[in-house]
Amino acid sequence: MGVKTVEAAQKVYGPYSIWSLYIGLALASYMYSLDGSTTSYYLTFATSEFSEHALISSVQVAQGIIVAVGKPVIAKVADVTSRATAYITVLVFYVVGYIIIASAQSVGSIAAGIIIYAVGYTGLQLLTQIIIADITSLKWRGLISSLTSSPFIVNAFVGANVAGAVLERAGWRWGYGMFAILVPISLAPLITTLTWAEHRAKILGKIPPPPPSSEPLGLGLGSSRIRGSVSRSRRDGSLRAPSPNARQPRSRSRSTLRSTTSNLTLKSPLYPSSPLRTLLHKIWITAEKLDIVGLVLLGAGIACVLLPLTLSNNSNSNSRRGWGNPSLIGMLIAGIVTLVVFAIYELRVAKRPVVAPRFWGNWAVLGAGVIGFFDFMSFYLSYTYLYSFIIVTKDWSLVDDIYFSNVQTVALTVFGILGGLLMRTTHRYKPILIAGLCIRTLGVGIMIHSRGAGGSTPELILTQILQGLGGGFAAVTSQVGAQASVVHGDVAMCTALVLLMTEIGGSVGSAVCTSPFLIQFIFFPSDCLSPSHPSFLCLFPSSFSGSLAL
């Protein structure tokens, strides 16, 4: 019904309501960018106040898992209910999470608030892309989608100043608390417009009524008899009651079929009407539409895979450090098995699967997911310790260090917009995608030459610009290409799956790059800077204390 509601709402939009929608998207995008550019600074002060600074990594691991797993859930809610309902849902999580953090009296409350807030944060990112796909044509979608990232150009340099001013004058609690006020205000135009359009479409009769369900909670034998009779009648165009003596004419309309089926369901002695049974029936149907079992299997499988990858270098129990810890290996195996079970369940059992079978053979969607996976994996392999690398090897000011660490982010945004313009003018995305991947590979290759203390400053900056150029082209074209390969009803889940694969790639890259030997290989060749160097040890003490002792 969510997709039908969206398609009906599009028929009632006028010029003013469309502009209100775009203004709402712009405000939502800016709040998303400002949040991502400032709140990471507040977390350091929040955990330090409770003398638990070392728990930052654990909190960020949990947040990353929720950000990844939450995308298919939000997409399913948006498809089953409506876009406005989904926005209201993520807004509630967003505000409640930040209120919990702002009023936290322990680090546990902070962790709980961040997990709740992460649902709203990932939902806001996903729903913005879904709304853009709903209201734009393919020729404009790449440009409009990339424009939602344009606030990062400003906030990449302004975010640190905003966070510093808030911490100095108000404290970290107001840093979180102000978003509990600002985000509802910024989302109000968007939610109001979506709700108005859906209500207007319903009044005008453009939204078809939902078909009555013929799958109630029953007593087994009776329900199968009724379903069997209705199924046979649907095949031959008539409706027969379960009784063999009651014969009905074959020329029954679809409305009569639904009405009679509803009567069989609700008025049969096998299904006595009661408020409790009605409530349970609605819960059952909603769970079936959302595919709760599939979502739980998917979330549990991804969590069990990501947790060992992100915690493998934080397990410091001497001989059982890292992958020597059997619990991490067991969790990884359990995650892989759960994902296999999820795939079997979706293909064989689920009536309304999260990942429909048609996605498994769609090479555009699979290709976009694989590209996003390896793109983010390569990004985090080098970016995770890029700031630390600059501090160790370059005698720059702190401001210059921050500016350099934001070069690739700004380049990704600028060239993503340029890629959207090229798609609009050329009406092609594959050549731009291939060119972007080649340019990004070139940027990564040059970084191998510029690693170590001897790397020149222009060369380092060039690597970040090239990677941003190629990554911007690849990100916008792969997502639009995947959306173009599916019908409108699958756009939300298609977008969620591509972004899910992208987030998993980022988590894998972050986990792999924490290997002490890989850090040395990527950034510090043995002839440039030894891992026993004092400035190196001050940045990576936990990673190298064990390896140096060997």
Side-chain angles (χ1 to χ4, degrees):
M1 282 303 299
V3 177
K4 293 180 180 179
T5 302
V6 171
E7 293 173 347
Q10 289 177 348
K11 300 176 182 178
V12 303
Y13 284 128
Y16 294 108
S17 55
I18 283 290
W19 275 109
S20 176
L21 209 57
Y22 280 122
I23 291 173
L25 287 172
L27 291 173
S29 300
Y30 185 81
M31 279 298 113
Y32 177 83
S33 171
L34 185 62
D35 183 340
S37 303
T38 57
T39 52
S40 59
Y41 298 100
Y42 305 145
L43 181 60
T44 302
F45 287 87
T47 53
S48 297
E49 181 173 313
F50 299 106
S51 301
E52 296 286 356
H53 182 73
L55 291 178
I56 287 181
S57 60
S58 300
V59 172
Q60 290 176 335
V61 167
Q63 180 180 354
I65 291 174
I66 296 298
V67 167
V69 175
K71 287 181 169 60
V73 179
I74 299 299
K76 193 70 173 176
V77 170
D79 279 345
V80 170
T81 57
S82 68
R83 306 305 196 231
T85 303
Y87 257 114
I88 294 172
T89 302
V90 301
L91 177 60
V92 170
F93 277 96
Y94 209 115
V95 173
V96 170
Y98 269 159
I99 290 176
I100 293 175
I101 299 172
S103 59
Q105 299 300 317
S106 67
V107 72
S109 299
I110 293 176
I114 287 179
I115 291 174
I116 295 173
Y117 139 80
V119 177
Y121 184 78
T122 188
L124 182 59
Q125 177 203 21
L126 175 65
L127 288 174
T128 300
Q129 297 300 321
I130 293 175
I131 295 297
I132 290 173
D134 287 338
I135 64 176
T136 60
S137 60
L138 283 172
K139 63 181 180 180
W140 286 105
R141 191 172 301 169
L143 177 59
I144 302 300
S145 177
S146 58
L147 282 174
T148 60
S149 300
S150 58
F152 281 99
I153 300 175
V154 177
N155 290 329
F157 303 102
V158 175
N161 297 327
V162 172
V166 171
L167 290 170
E168 182 179 350
R169 297 189 175 107
W172 63 268
R173 292 184 186 275
W174 267 110
Y176 285 111
M178 68 180 186
F179 283 104
I181 301 172
L182 294 175
V183 171
I185 294 175
S186 62
L187 288 183
L190 183 58
I191 294 177
T192 301
T193 304
L194 291 173
T195 305
W196 169 84
E198 293 171 5
H199 180 68
R200 180 70 174 168
K202 185 176 182 180
I203 291 177
L204 295 176
K206 296 182 180 296
I207 300 178
S213 172
S214 60
E215 300 286 343
L217 296 173
L219 300 177
L221 179 60
S223 62
S224 63
R225 287 179 60 192
I226 293 176
R227 288 197 297 268
S229 300
V230 172
S231 299
R232 288 192 299 271
S233 64
R234 283 177 176 171
R235 285 196 297 268
D236 61 17
S238 64
L239 177 67
R240 299 188 183 94
S243 173
N245 298 323
R247 296 184 176 273
Q248 303 292 336
R250 292 179 177 269
S251 58
R252 290 278 186 157
S253 65
R254 186 177 298 274
S255 61
T256 306
L257 174 63
R258 289 175 179 171
S259 176
T260 310
T261 304
S262 179
N263 291 334
L264 288 172
T265 300
L266 299 178
K267 296 182 179 180
S268 171
L270 294 173
Y271 306 105
S273 177
S274 69
L276 178 59
R277 182 174 294 277
T278 302
L279 177 62
L280 292 176
H281 175 54
K282 290 181 178 180
I283 294 175
W284 175 266
I285 295 301
T286 302
E288 185 181 79
K289 289 180 179 179
L290 291 174
D291 190 16
I292 297 295
V293 176
L295 290 174
V296 170
L297 288 174
L298 177 62
I302 294 175
C304 288
V305 170
L306 293 184
L307 272 175
L309 292 176
T310 52
L311 298 178
S312 59
N313 287 287
N314 295 327
S315 180
N316 297 314
S317 59
N318 299 326
S319 61
R320 293 192 172 187
R321 185 181 187 276
W323 292 111
N325 189 338
S327 63
L328 294 182
I329 299 177
M331 191 182 300
L332 180 62
I333 294 175
I336 295 174
V337 171
T338 303
L339 290 177
V340 173
V341 173
F342 164 75
I344 296 174
Y345 174 82
E346 292 292 289
L347 291 173
R348 301 291 185 182
V349 180
K351 294 183 178 180
R352 296 176 176 88
V354 176
V355 183
R358 54 186 173 274
F359 284 126
W360 299 94
N362 189 321
W363 289 106
V365 176
L366 295 177
V370 171
I371 289 171
F373 177 91
F374 286 105
D375 182 32
F376 259 50
M377 181 179 175
S378 67
F379 173 79
Y380 280 100
L381 274 173
S382 61
Y383 191 77
T384 301
Y385 290 112
L386 182 65
Y387 183 70
S388 304
F389 163 71
I390 292 300
I391 292 177
V392 171
T393 60
K394 297 297 179 182
D395 187 21
W396 294 350
S397 66
L398 183 60
V399 174
D400 290 338
D401 292 339
I402 296 175
Y403 284 166
F404 175 79
S405 65
N406 288 324
V407 167
Q408 187 171 166
T409 302
V410 174
L412 282 166
T413 304
V414 172
F415 289 109
I417 296 173
L418 179 60
L421 283 171
L422 290 175
M423 291 176 62
R424 172 64 185 88
T425 55
T426 63
H427 304 284
R428 298 287 185 275
Y429 79 92
K430 290 182 181 179
I432 304 172
L433 171 62
I434 295 173
L437 294 176
C438 294
I439 294 172
R440 181 159 180 79
T441 304
L442 177 63
V444 175
I446 296 177
M447 199 169 182
I448 297 176
H449 180 267
S450 62
R451 68 196 178 113
S456 66
T457 297
E459 194 174 36
L460 284 171
I461 295 175
L462 178 63
T463 61
Q464 300 304 297
I465 293 176
L466 289 177
Q467 290 184 62
L469 192 160
F473 281 4
V476 67
T477 52
S478 60
Q479 179 173 305
V480 174
Q483 292 175 346
S485 67
V486 299
V487 297
H488 182 227
D490 291 335
V491 165
M493 188 55 64
C494 165
T495 306
L497 292 176
V498 172
L499 293 178
L500 172 63
M501 289 294 295
T502 301
E503 295 288 351
I504 294 175
S507 299
V508 172
S510 297
V512 172
C513 79
T514 56
S515 168
F517 302 103
L518 193 60
I519 294 173
Q520 182 183 3
F521 173 77
I522 293 178
F523 295 109
F524 305 101
S526 58
D527 58 342
C528 292
L529 186 64
S530 170
S532 61
H533 191 280
S535 59
F536 194 91
L537 286 175
C538 77
L539 290 170
F540 311 105
S542 60
S543 296
F544 281 85
S545 58
S547 61
L548 291 175
L550 294 177

